[in-house]
Amino acid sequence: MTTPSTATAIPGYVAGTWNIDPVHSEVGFSARHMMVSKVRGRFTTFSGQLVTGENPLDSTVSAEIDLASITTGNDQRDDHIRSADFFEVETYPKMTYRSTGVRADGDGYVLDGELTLKNVTKSVPLTLELNGFGPDPFGGTRAGFTATGEINRKDFNVNFNAPMQNGGVVVSDKIGLHLEIEAVLEA
């Protein structure tokens, strides 16, 4: 059983409502390409809010990602990912995440939540690392978090693929999620 004293075990922990700072945050992913390497990408337009509870396990997260803001470092690939073969951004412009709970996991935490992509909602747990809480030079308070997880893109009707001669495929089904989040406490 976890009690409110859990917060005292997190140095500098502050309960409150936080807005994600998109300038100092990154929402990224990685996918195996042609079975031999990983391609990494990120989204440049996103927003979200975190509410840290007096008991950290009572905290919540909500976020919205603009799928058209994808960048992988290659314009042709980015346009293809925006197309009907992958995200269909004309029909499904946003991806969202809503937490359903936080739980302790060893020395860390897991953020349980629901990811919605292309009108499909699935449970997606994220391994959560609390990086710290502290003052910023502007008189505000900031918090930092790292979250990682994994999805199967086909669970969200992102089904495009092309077979390769050796029996592999061009894009893996498994997609790694990598988030570095810095948030600012609301005044």
Side-chain angles (χ1 to χ4, degrees):
M1 173 109 174
T2 304
T3 65
S5 64
T6 302
T8 60
I10 301 170
Y13 183 84
V14 177
T17 300
W18 307 77
N19 293 307
I20 292 175
D21 176 357
V23 174
H24 297 103
S25 299
E26 183 171 283
V27 175
F29 64 91
S30 62
R32 179 97 29 219
H33 182 252
M34 294 196 173
M35 312 300 287
V36 297
S37 67
K38 285 188 178 177
V39 170
R40 298 183 187 284
R42 63 188 176 89
F43 297 94
T44 60
T45 305
F46 52 88
S47 61
Q49 189 172 71
L50 300 81
V51 178
T52 50
E54 290 297 329
N55 178 338
L57 301 182
D58 294 332
S59 300
T60 62
V61 174
S62 63
E64 183 175 275
I65 296 119
D66 177 359
L67 293 173
S69 74
I70 190 168
T71 181
T72 64
N74 180 283
D75 291 340
Q76 183 179 359
R77 178 174 46 224
D78 295 347
D79 288 343
H80 189 206
I81 295 170
R82 289 181 193 106
S83 79
D85 283 344
F86 289 93
F87 287 154
E88 295 183 72
V89 297
E90 296 294 323
T91 304
Y92 308 104
K94 305 287 182 196
M95 174 171 49
T96 61
Y97 187 83
R98 303 272 182 260
S99 65
T100 57
V102 180
R103 57 188 157 94
D105 183 34
D107 291 337
Y109 297 91
V110 172
L111 178 67
D112 290 311
E114 295 180 333
L115 180 72
T116 301
L117 173 62
K118 293 180 70 172
N119 261 5
V120 176
T121 301
K122 297 283 183 182
S123 176
V124 176
L126 299 172
T127 300
L128 183 63
E129 179 183 343
L130 294 113
N131 299 329
F133 296 81
D136 66 23
F138 313 107
T141 303
R142 294 194 176 244
F145 307 89
T146 299
T148 58
E150 185 177 283
I151 62 169
N152 183 320
R153 66 187 178 87
K154 290 186 176 179
D155 289 346
F156 296 92
N157 294 326
V158 181
N159 296 316
F160 174 83
N161 223 332
M164 294 174 31
Q165 285 181 334
N166 67 358
V169 291
V170 172
V171 180
S172 62
D173 293 345
K174 182 173 74 171
I175 306 297
L177 307 174
H178 317 279
L179 298 94
E180 290 293 335
I181 303 299
E182 187 171 308
V184 180
L185 184 65
E186 284 186 356

